[in-house]
Amino acid sequence: MATKLQNSEVRNALKLHTDLSEPQQRLMRSVVRLLPFAASLPQQDVCVFTGARDDEILVFGHIKDWPAAVIKPDICLLKSYEVGLWQDLLQSGHAVKGFMEHKHGQLARLLAFPIVDNGGKCIGGIAMLHNGLEPHTEAPLLTASDVLAETTYMAMIVPQQNQTDLYTPLSYQDGIIIFDEAGIILYANEAASHLVDLLGFDRRLVGTSIYGGSLKMSWVKQAIRDHRGAVSEEIYGDIIVEQTILPINAGIRAKRSFLFLKDKTAFRRKEQELMVKNSVIKEIHHRVKNNLQTVAGLLRMEARRSDSEQVKKALQEGVSRIESMALVHEVISHYEEDYIELRTIAEELIRLLKRALLRSDDMVQCEYVGDSILLSSQRAGYVSLILNELISNSFEHGFSCMTNQEPVKEGHIIIEGNLKGSSITLTVSDNGSGLPDDFDLNASKRLGLQIIRNLVTNELAGTLEITGEPDKGTVVKITFNE
């Protein structure tokens, strides 16, 4: 199957190797863009080609085991004599049909169709090779292959405008049906036959009317009249089928339509199971948050009843740590995804800690700056605890908010998150009293610093760096991977 070529790669190859004008190159690029879709329909080799300089042919699309000068993946150059039928098409402007020697001397069924610009000049072609068809193959199989190839070509030449979702590549499990403007089925693959058999439709399909079976097709006629593709999801008993209609109008050619059938039953059931699972998980997070807040409330009661300032301080630190964990559960319980923005964690912690630790007249500004970074709920829990300790330390030791009788003037704490590749750098800096000259992170016995060091090293597998000078503030830099 063709991979999705980058538009810039196609543009550069056309400019470098051909003499096509800009409008002609634009037409070629629009056709090449549909290669992944086209290759998924016949499950065979499909490529787009055009004449190149030095008697060569420039090819977009992968051809297995073809001798070629590869420029980039799925872009190559062939000598004209290697693909004589393609050269005939470029010279005559007429479709060619036949067999070509492919890999290991085997013959492959070839159909190639012209790409014609607005002036009527043939500027390239679309080639389709079917490795499973040889000259002695039965006629009905050859006819079916030809119908699919011709219709695929028509779909690529005259695509539906602004309906890119109709050209999503199909899988081998998806049903493909082609019918004419009278509704007579011209082609149906095995997946379509199997699917409609489950629905009670006439399994023969080819030669029958698309409107004569049990498929719900009332919307199809309207889509064809409007010359617009459409998608409908229908329920047939226990089976859910996504039906996509792709009308094709290729000038004076006979009008045809693709009908793609996707069995979405397992997908929808899994989706429903996930919705139920997500609801249960959100409810669990909500209850955990409530339980943590209950514990925090009990500790606050104990702190108010205690006559010891040391006990009150210890209990308040415990409350802050519990609330930082409850915060993560609260945020998750309100969102569908199990990921949380770092900015959300920081801003909510700032709000909680300022309310708990600052006086109304303390002038300490806290803000988050930096990238939008998503963290899994587990990592968010660790980061929340780390930020809780760092912000609390800045309040208590950097600005002495909890010990000074006088209000703090013009304190500033900045939390900055940066994402580079898969590496996250979290920096917390303040303009407080800084660190003493003899500060040693590894020798420090403070519980808060021990918690930070353990979480960064053991849980986040990251690195921790703390720098600062007396009266010049402190900077904590933490680096870890997503």
Side-chain angles (χ1 to χ4, degrees), residues 7 80 188 198 264 320 328 351 406 417 420:
N7 190 53
S80 295
L198 295 176
K264 307 288 283 190
S320 295
V328 173
R351 180 182 62 82
E406 295 296 324
K420 188 174 183 180

Side-chain angles (χ1 to χ4, degrees), residues 97-277:
K97 183 184 299 186
F99 293 89
M100 290 184 63
E101 186 173 319
H102 198 200
K103 57 183 179 181
H104 311 307
Q106 296 178 347
L107 293 177
R109 177 68 166 174
L110 166 73
L111 285 91
F113 306 92
I115 300 173
V116 180
D117 67 10
N118 290 334
K121 180 181 179 182
C122 177
I123 62 170
I126 301 172
M128 303 178 193
L129 292 107
H130 197 305
N131 301 322
L133 300 180
E134 298 181 349
H136 61 269
T137 302
E138 295 179 358
L141 292 177
L142 290 177
T143 300
S145 175
D146 291 357
V147 168
L148 179 58
E150 291 166 2
T151 312
T152 302
Y153 162 68
M154 293 161 65
M156 295 178 73
I157 292 298
V158 189
Q160 292 288 329
Q161 296 299 315
N162 303 317
Q163 288 193 287
T164 56
D165 57 316
L166 300 176
Y167 298 90
T168 302
L170 280 72
S171 76
Y172 72 94
Q173 297 174 315
D174 297 332
I176 302 172
I177 295 174
I178 299 172
F179 59 93
D180 62 19
E181 56 185 333
I184 303 303
I185 297 175
L186 307 176
Y187 170 89
N189 68 349
E190 184 60 30
S193 299
H194 173 70
L195 190 54
V196 298
D197 186 41
L198 295 176
L199 305 177
F201 198 84
D202 187 342
R203 185 177 171 83
R204 291 172 297 174
L205 285 181
V206 175
T208 65
S209 172
I210 194 72
Y211 306 112
S214 59
L215 286 174
K216 299 175 183 178
M217 303 292 290
S218 58
W219 56 282
V220 169
K221 290 184 179 180
Q222 184 63 44
I224 293 174
R225 279 196 297 269
D226 295 340
H227 306 296
R228 296 284 292 171
V231 180
S232 173
E233 198 166 278
E234 304 290 350
I235 300 175
Y236 300 89
D238 295 331
I239 300 176
I240 302 172
V241 179
E242 181 185 273
Q243 301 173 182
T244 302
I245 184 70
L246 177 57
I248 299 166
N249 304 287
I252 61 173
R253 294 177 179 272
K255 293 180 173 61
R256 296 178 182 175
S257 297
F258 272 119
L259 177 65
F260 304 132
L261 305 174
K262 293 176 179 281
D263 185 350
K264 307 288 283 190
T265 310
F267 178 79
R268 294 300 176 217
R269 285 176 180 168
K270 181 63 69 175
E271 197 175 59
Q272 184 65 32
E273 290 173 3
L274 286 174
M275 287 177 63
V276 172
K277 180 181 177 182

Side-chain angles (χ1 to χ4, degrees), residues 321-338:
R321 289 165 185 149
I322 291 171
E323 286 191 329
S324 70
M325 291 186 287
L327 166 65
V328 173
H329 292 284
E330 180 180 19
V331 173
I332 294 174
S333 69
H334 287 89
Y335 292 90
E336 294 298 328
E337 301 296 331
D338 196 32

Side-chain angles (χ1 to χ4, degrees), residues 73 104 135 144 184 223 312 388 399 414 427 430:
H104 311 307
I184 303 303
K312 286 183 177 181
N388 175 80
F399 303 115
I414 297 177
T427 306
D430 65 47

